[in-house]
């Protein structure tokens, strides 16, 4: 919506974009027109983890929320402004929500798609899971904890406030 992430060959993650409704962890400052390293993801950077340890392979975000998929299929989440209801309820308060932390209940994740205030995750078993700010019913109304949305998903996508997925020859959506 107003920024994006990139992962360098050495594993460092960078963010470009505006600070309004940022999808970065809370420790990332705003530098207009300049790339900013997301230092709070360094712990999971491919170039910094030990051999065989999980590292960041994908990063994305929505309004005041973001996530990273690790190489073992687990998921890190965070909020820029302490929105604890946008981190998959990993059992922390709003201050800790600003820092990346593992989301319990999500495993074998291979892809993700963010809307404004929610996210869907594709898993290796073709199931679709999601979480978000449940009070934002206009934007998909996903549960605040990871919940299964569908099984046998062929493809899925998201927009500003909606989610679409295909099972067999039938398309479903919410938002």
């Amino acid at each position: 919506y107003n920024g994006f992430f990139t992962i360098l060959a050495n594993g460092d993650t960078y963010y470009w974009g505006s600070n309004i409704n940022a999808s970065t962890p809370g420790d990332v400052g705003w530098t207009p027109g300049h790339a900013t390293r997301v230092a709070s993801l360094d712990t999971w950077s491919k170039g910094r983890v030990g051999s065989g340890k999980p590292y960041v392979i994908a990063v994305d975000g929505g309004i005041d929320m973001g996530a990273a998929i690790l190489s073992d299929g687990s998921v890190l989440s965070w909020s820029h402004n302490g929105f604890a209801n946008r981190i998959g309820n990993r059992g922390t308060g709003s201050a800790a929500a600003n820092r990346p932390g593992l989301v319990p209940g999500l495993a074998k994740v291979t892809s993700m798609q963010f809307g404004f205030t929610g996210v869907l995750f594709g898993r290796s078993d073709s199931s679709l899971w999601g979480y978000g700010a449940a009070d934002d019913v206009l934007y998909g109304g996903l549960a605040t904890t990871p919940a299964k949305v569908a099984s046998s998903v062929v493809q899925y996508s998201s927009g500003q406030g909606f989610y679409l997925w295909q099972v067999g020859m039938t398309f479903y959506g919410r938002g």
Side-chain angles (χ1 to χ4, degrees), residues 7-42:
I7 303 168
L8 301 182
N10 70 1
D12 287 349
T13 301
Y14 280 80
Y15 173 81
W16 282 268
S18 73
N19 195 32
I20 301 167
N21 300 322
S23 53
T24 60
D27 65 337
V28 177
W30 180 47
T31 308
H34 294 88
T36 302
R37 193 172 105 243
V38 184
S40 55
L41 289 176
D42 285 353

Side-chain angles (χ1 to χ4, degrees), residues 28-115:
V28 177
W30 180 47
T31 308
H34 294 88
T36 302
R37 193 172 105 243
V38 184
S40 55
L41 289 176
D42 285 353
T43 302
W44 298 276
S45 173
K46 185 176 183 178
R48 291 183 169 87
V49 299
S51 179
K53 299 289 185 183
Y55 55 89
V56 173
I57 60 170
V59 185
D60 200 3
I63 295 176
D64 292 319
M65 64 185 297
I69 300 173
L70 299 181
S71 58
D72 66 355
S74 58
V75 174
L76 299 171
S77 71
W78 59 81
S79 169
H80 187 81
N81 291 315
F83 283 95
N85 69 342
R86 297 185 186 179
I87 59 172
N89 280 356
R90 52 187 169 82
T92 59
S94 62
N98 287 333
R99 295 184 303 274
L102 287 170
V103 178
L106 279 177
K108 301 179 183 177
V109 172
T110 58
S111 62
M112 64 183 155
Q113 288 272 327
F114 272 81

